[in-house]
Amino acid sequence: MTSPLVPGSTIGILGGGQLGRMLSVAASRLGFKSHIFEPSANPPAADVAHRVTTASYEDQDALKAFAETVDVITYEFENIPTSALDLLETLRPIRPGREALRISQDRLIEKAFLADLGLAIAPYADVTDSTSMTAAVEAIGAPSILKTRRFGYDGKGQARLKSAEDAAEALAEMNGAPAVLEGFVNFTCEISVIAARSADGQVSAFDPGQNVHRDGILHTTTVPAKVPAKLQMDAVLMAAKILNALDYVGVMGVEFFVTPQGLIINEIAPRVHNSGHWTQNGCVSCQFEQHIRAVAGWPLGDGQRHSDVVMENLIGNDMDRMPELMADPTCALHLYGKADVKPGRKMAHVNRITKG
Amino acid sequence: MTSPLVPGSTIGILGGGQLGRMLSVAASRLGFKSHIFEPSANPPAADVAHRVTTASYEDQDALKAFAETVDVITYEFENIPTSALDLLETLRPIRPGREALRISQDRLIEKAFLADLGLAIAPYADVTDSTSMTAAVEAIGAPSILKTRRFGYDGKGQARLKSAEDAAEALAEMNGAPAVLEGFVNFTCEISVIAARSADGQVSAFDPGQNVHRDGILHTTTVPAKVPAKLQMDAVLMAAKILNALDYVGVMGVEFFVTPQGLIINEIAPRVHNSGHWTQNGCVSCQFEQHIRAVAGWPLGDGQRHSDVVMENLIGNDMDRMPELMADPTCALHLYGKADVKPGRKMAHVNRITKG
C-alpha cells in the first residue's frame, strides 16, 4: 500500500469494544467503511460499523473472509493471538505493524526494547519460577510489583510486594505465567503522551495528559498536565523516539512516571488509548481520526489543543450520575452503548471542558 | 414520553442521507442506537447505523415494523408523505412534531404562519393558475420568484421573473403544481440561525452563520457572520419565537435575508441544516447532538462557539480537491460515504478552522 486509501475503502478493525467503536466513527468521517472482527456478540462498535464479523481469532476461515473485504487492518487491543496475525498479514497490511505488537505484547521484550533505546525505565528482572523470583527480589528489592509478561490490563495480572516476604504469595498469583518483577517507582504523578506517526514518517503528538488511576483503572486525564514544560517536551520527544524506532504507523499511547529525577516510561500501547479520549473535545483531529488517517496512508490532521479538558471514565455504577451529567453543559458525553452495567466495566467517559 | 430516553434506547430516523448519517453518529455518542428508514439502497447513514430498513414510505407494514423497534421517531428531511406520518404518529412520538412538518412542507402555509407571528417576510401571493398568476404579478411585481408550494430544495422548483413578461413561462415551469410568487428581496447577505428547543422548552441557538450560495446550493457558511451584533441578536430572537410558537422539539434551521431595513425570513427547515455543519468543529455540542438530545427528551448541551469556522460544501467534482484538503491541518473533513460522484451532488463538507 503506497498511496492513500481512497474514500469508500474499508478499514478492518480487530476488536469491537469502545475503542473500535470510536475508531469506526472516525473512519466514517473520512468516508471509510469499517468492518469489525470481534468474537463476542453485539459489541459496542457494531452500532456504528458498516459490517461486523462475529468469530473467534482461531477461526481461520472467518479471518480470511474478513481480510478479503478490507483494504487495511488495524486493531483496538494489542493481545491479538499470533496465529491470527500470521494469517492476516499474508492478506492485507496490518497497521501498526507486527514489530510494535511483538514488543508490546510482552512486558519483558518491551522493557528490553525501551532500555536499548536509552530510555529510562524502572529496574526489572525476569521471573519464571521460584529460583528466578528469589534472584529478582534480591536484585530489585521491595516494594516492587510482579506483573505477568503477557495479557495484563487495567491492573490485572499484577501483585504488589510490600516486602521480600510477599515473594512466594505474589509468584503464586501469577499461576505459573512468565512474569517481570518491577522496582517500585516513587513518582509524583503519571502522564501519558498520545502520538501519531503517518506512513511517510510524519510525527504528531498531542499535549501530554496527567492521569489519575483508581483501583488500577484510569480515572481521570487532565490537560494541560500540571508538569513543567520541559518534562512535557521530554515526554513528547521520548514518544517520538519510540515511534520512529519502530517505523510505526498509527497512534500509540506512552505512559510515564514523573519523578524528581525525570521521566520513567511505565508502558506503551500500540493503539488509541483511554488517556487520549480528551482529544475528542480538545482538538480538531482526535486520536481516533489521527489513527485512521495514519493507517489509511493519509497525512495527519491537526492535533493542537483548543480547549482544556478533564476526561473522566464512567465505570460501572458511575452511570447513576447520568441525569446530572447530561444536564451539565460543560460535559461532553461519550457513551459506549453497553447494555449491562457491571462493576469495573468502562461504560462511558465524559470530557469536561474546563477552559474553551 | 415524559422522561428522558435512557441510553440503549433506539432513535428512529426517517431518511438515510448525510444528515441521517451525522444524526446517527451523534446518537451513538449519547449511547443510543439508530434505526434508519430509507427507500434507496445503501444510503450514507447505513455505515453508522445499528439497523436499516429499506422500504418505501408507502409500505405500511414496513413503517409499522420500523416504528415498533424504536422509541422515538425523527427525520432528516421535511417532505415525508403525510400518509406515512399518519401511521407513524399512532405508534411512536414524532419529534419535531406534526405541526412543524405541516407548516414547513408548504411554502404558502409557512409564509402565513410567519406573518401571523409578526415576523418580516417577502411579499407573496398564492398562484394556482394563469388567473391567479396575473393577479400575483400585479400585486408583487417583478423581479420576483415563483416557487412550488411543496417539495422544493436547493433551488429546485423555482423560476425567476425578470419582468412581468416572464409570467407565462415561469408558470409553465411549475407543471401545474400549486405555487407562490415571492417578491424579490434586495439583500446584502444571507444568514441562518440553527436553534434547538428541548422537550421542556429550553431554547439554545448557535451563533448565526453567513451563507453564500452557488447555483442555488449552499456553498459556504462563515462564523462569525460579518453582520452587526444587533442583527445577529434579532435573528436569534426571531428563531426562538418560531420554536416557541410551535412548541417545537429538536433543531430548526431559519434562513434570513439581511437588508438595509432589517431581517427578512427566507424559509425554515424543521431539521438539522447544512448551514449548521460548522458546529461540528466550532462547538462542544454540534447541531446533530443538540437535535438528538432534544428528541430524546434530554437537556440541551453547550452550543457556545469555541472556534471560528468556514464550512464549505464539497459538491460533485470538488472531491478532486481531496489530496490538498486531507493535507491541510486547518481543514476538518466530513465525508458522506457516497459511492458515486455526480454533478451537483453533496459529497462532503470541510470545516476550515480560521481561529481556534
Side-chain angles (χ1 to χ4, degrees):
Chain A
M1 194 169 78
T2 51
S3 54
L5 282 187
V6 295
S9 303
T10 301
I11 313 278
I13 302 174
L14 302 173
Q18 62 266 22
L19 301 181
R21 176 180 172 99
M22 293 183 280
L23 285 169
S24 192
V25 165
S28 81
R29 271 204 303 273
L30 303 180
F32 299 121
K33 299 179 192 305
S34 57
H35 185 165
I36 304 291
F37 189 100
E38 164 65 46
S40 59
N42 303 316
D47 286 346
V48 286
H50 174 70
R51 191 165 164 188
V52 180
T53 292
T54 308
S56 145
Y57 287 106
E58 277 70 52
D59 185 338
Q60 301 261 317
D61 290 339
L63 287 166
K64 187 162 176 290
F66 164 77
E68 282 168 353
T69 67
V70 307
D71 296 286
V72 65
I73 296 170
T74 189
Y75 43 87
E76 63 154 13
F77 73 121
E78 55 271 38
N79 292 318
I80 304 151
T82 301
S83 61
L85 295 167
D86 288 343
L87 171 65
L88 293 171
E89 76 172 350
T90 65
L91 300 167
R92 290 295 183 277
I94 300 177
R95 289 180 163 177
R98 288 299 298 271
E99 183 64 1
L101 281 165
R102 188 184 70 81
I103 287 169
S104 61
Q105 283 185 343
D106 187 314
R107 284 185 199 278
L108 190 67
I109 296 174
E110 180 177 313
K111 285 174 186 303
F113 163 76
L114 296 169
D116 281 352
L117 282 180
L119 300 173
I121 54 171
Y124 69 97
D126 185 13
V127 172
T128 51
D129 53 22
S130 59
T131 309
S132 52
M133 182 67 184
T134 305
V137 173
E138 215 155 279
I140 307 297
S144 50
I145 309 175
L146 190 64
K147 298 179 176 178
T148 55
R149 282 174 60 173
R150 296 176 64 90
F151 303 120
Y153 72 96
D154 286 349
K156 295 191 201 321
Q158 304 192 1
R160 286 176 184 253
L161 281 74
K162 285 183 189 162
S163 72
E165 278 128 59
D166 297 336
E169 194 182 331
L171 185 61
E173 280 189 44
M174 300 296 108
N175 285 317
V180 178
L181 186 68
E182 284 183 20
F184 189 81
V185 175
N186 209 344
F187 59 89
T188 53
C189 70
E190 291 178 64
I191 62 172
S192 58
V193 169
I194 310 299
R197 188 171 179 276
S198 66
D200 65 357
Q202 177 193 12
V203 173
S204 175
F206 293 103
D207 282 357
Q210 184 166 342
N211 302 326
V212 174
H213 289 77
R214 267 193 196 169
D215 306 324
I217 305 175
L218 183 65
H219 172 49
T220 58
T221 299
T222 301
V223 282
K226 289 181 189 66
V227 165
K230 157 96 179 59
L231 285 183
Q232 298 200 34
M233 179 57 78
D234 282 352
V236 166
L237 292 175
M238 287 163 83
K241 190 169 191 175
I242 295 168
L243 269 60
N244 286 327
L246 290 169
D247 194 18
Y248 192 83
V249 177
V251 160
M252 173 180 279
V254 183
E255 295 182 13
F256 301 87
F257 297 122
V258 178
T259 79
Q261 289 75 42
L263 297 175
I264 289 177
I265 297 183
N266 177 23
E267 63 179 20
I268 65 175
R271 53 169 169 78
V272 288
H273 196 260
N274 196 163
S275 70
H277 290 358
W278 68 268
T279 61
Q280 292 173 310
N281 297 96
C283 305
V284 171
S285 278
C286 68
Q287 65 165 346
F288 303 99
E289 177 165 331
Q290 292 290 56
H291 188 78
I292 296 294
R293 281 175 168 264
V295 303
W298 285 30
L300 300 176
D302 181 9
Q304 276 192 82
R305 180 169 52 80
H306 58 65
S307 298
D308 296 356
V309 183
V310 177
M311 188 288 304
E312 181 185 351
N313 273 333
L314 302 182
I315 294 168
N317 288 331
D318 286 345
M319 292 303 283
D320 295 345
R321 289 164 47 205
M322 276 298 292
E324 162 214 333
L325 292 170
M326 69 167 69
D328 184 342
T330 68
C331 288
L333 290 164
H334 299 268
L335 276 68
Y336 306 151
K338 296 179 183 176
D340 302 319
V341 177
K342 292 178 190 166
R345 190 174 204 202
K346 291 178 180 170
M347 302 299 297
H349 66 271
V350 50
N351 286 330
R352 194 181 297 267
I353 313 299
T354 53
K355 197 173 136 215
Chain B
M1 196 170 75
T2 52
S3 53
L5 282 188
V6 295
S9 303
T10 301
I11 313 279
I13 302 174
L14 302 173
Q18 62 267 22
L19 300 181
R21 177 180 171 99
M22 294 183 278
L23 284 169
S24 193
V25 165
S28 81
R29 272 204 303 274
L30 303 181
F32 299 121
K33 299 180 193 306
S34 57
H35 185 165
I36 304 290
F37 190 100
E38 165 65 46
S40 59
N42 304 316
D47 286 346
V48 287
H50 173 70
R51 192 166 164 185
V52 180
T53 292
T54 307
S56 142
Y57 287 107
E58 276 71 52
D59 185 337
Q60 300 262 316
D61 290 339
L63 287 166
K64 186 162 178 287
F66 164 78
E68 283 168 352
T69 68
V70 306
D71 296 286
V72 65
I73 295 169
T74 189
Y75 43 87
E76 64 154 13
F77 73 121
E78 55 272 38
N79 292 318
I80 305 151
T82 302
S83 62
L85 295 167
D86 288 342
L87 171 64
L88 292 171
E89 76 172 351
T90 64
L91 299 167
R92 290 295 183 276
I94 300 176
R95 288 179 162 179
R98 289 296 301 270
E99 183 64 0
L101 280 165
R102 189 183 69 82
I103 287 169
S104 61
Q105 283 184 344
D106 187 315
R107 284 184 200 280
L108 189 67
I109 296 175
E110 181 177 313
K111 286 176 186 300
F113 163 75
L114 295 171
D116 280 352
L117 282 181
L119 300 173
I121 54 172
Y124 69 97
D126 186 12
V127 172
T128 51
D129 53 21
S130 60
T131 309
S132 51
M133 182 67 184
T134 304
V137 173
E138 214 155 281
I140 308 295
S144 50
I145 310 174
L146 190 64
K147 299 180 177 178
T148 56
R149 281 174 59 174
R150 298 174 65 91
F151 304 119
Y153 72 98
D154 286 348
K156 295 189 199 324
Q158 303 192 2
R160 285 174 186 256
L161 282 74
K162 285 181 191 164
S163 72
E165 278 126 60
D166 297 336
E169 194 181 332
L171 185 61
E173 281 188 44
M174 300 296 108
N175 286 315
V180 178
L181 187 68
E182 285 183 20
F184 190 80
V185 175
N186 209 345
F187 58 90
T188 53
C189 69
E190 291 180 62
I191 62 172
S192 58
V193 169
I194 311 300
R197 188 171 179 277
S198 65
D200 66 357
Q202 177 193 12
V203 173
S204 175
F206 293 102
D207 281 358
Q210 185 167 341
N211 301 326
V212 173
H213 290 77
R214 268 194 196 169
D215 305 324
I217 304 176
L218 183 65
H219 174 49
T220 58
T221 300
T222 301
V223 282
K226 289 179 191 67
V227 165
K230 156 101 179 55
L231 284 185
Q232 298 200 34
M233 179 59 77
D234 282 352
V236 166
L237 294 175
M238 287 163 83
K241 190 169 190 175
I242 295 168
L243 269 61
N244 285 328
L246 290 169
D247 194 19
Y248 192 83
V249 177
V251 160
M252 174 181 279
V254 183
E255 294 182 12
F256 300 87
F257 297 121
V258 179
T259 79
Q261 290 74 43
L263 298 174
I264 290 178
I265 298 184
N266 178 22
E267 61 179 20
I268 65 175
R271 52 169 169 80
V272 288
H273 196 261
N274 195 163
S275 70
H277 290 358
W278 68 268
T279 60
Q280 293 173 309
N281 297 96
C283 306
V284 172
S285 279
C286 69
Q287 66 165 345
F288 303 100
E289 178 166 331
Q290 292 290 55
H291 188 79
I292 296 293
R293 280 176 168 265
V295 302
W298 287 29
L300 300 176
D302 181 9
Q304 275 192 83
R305 179 169 52 80
H306 59 64
S307 298
D308 295 357
V309 183
V310 178
M311 188 287 304
E312 180 185 351
N313 274 333
L314 301 182
I315 294 169
N317 289 332
D318 287 345
M319 292 305 281
D320 296 344
R321 289 165 48 204
M322 276 299 292
E324 161 214 332
L325 293 170
M326 67 167 70
D328 184 342
T330 68
C331 287
L333 291 164
H334 299 267
L335 275 68
Y336 306 152
K338 295 179 182 176
D340 302 319
V341 177
K342 292 179 192 165
R345 191 175 203 200
K346 292 178 181 171
M347 301 299 297
H349 66 272
V350 51
N351 286 329
R352 195 181 295 268
I353 312 299
T354 53
K355 197 174 137 214

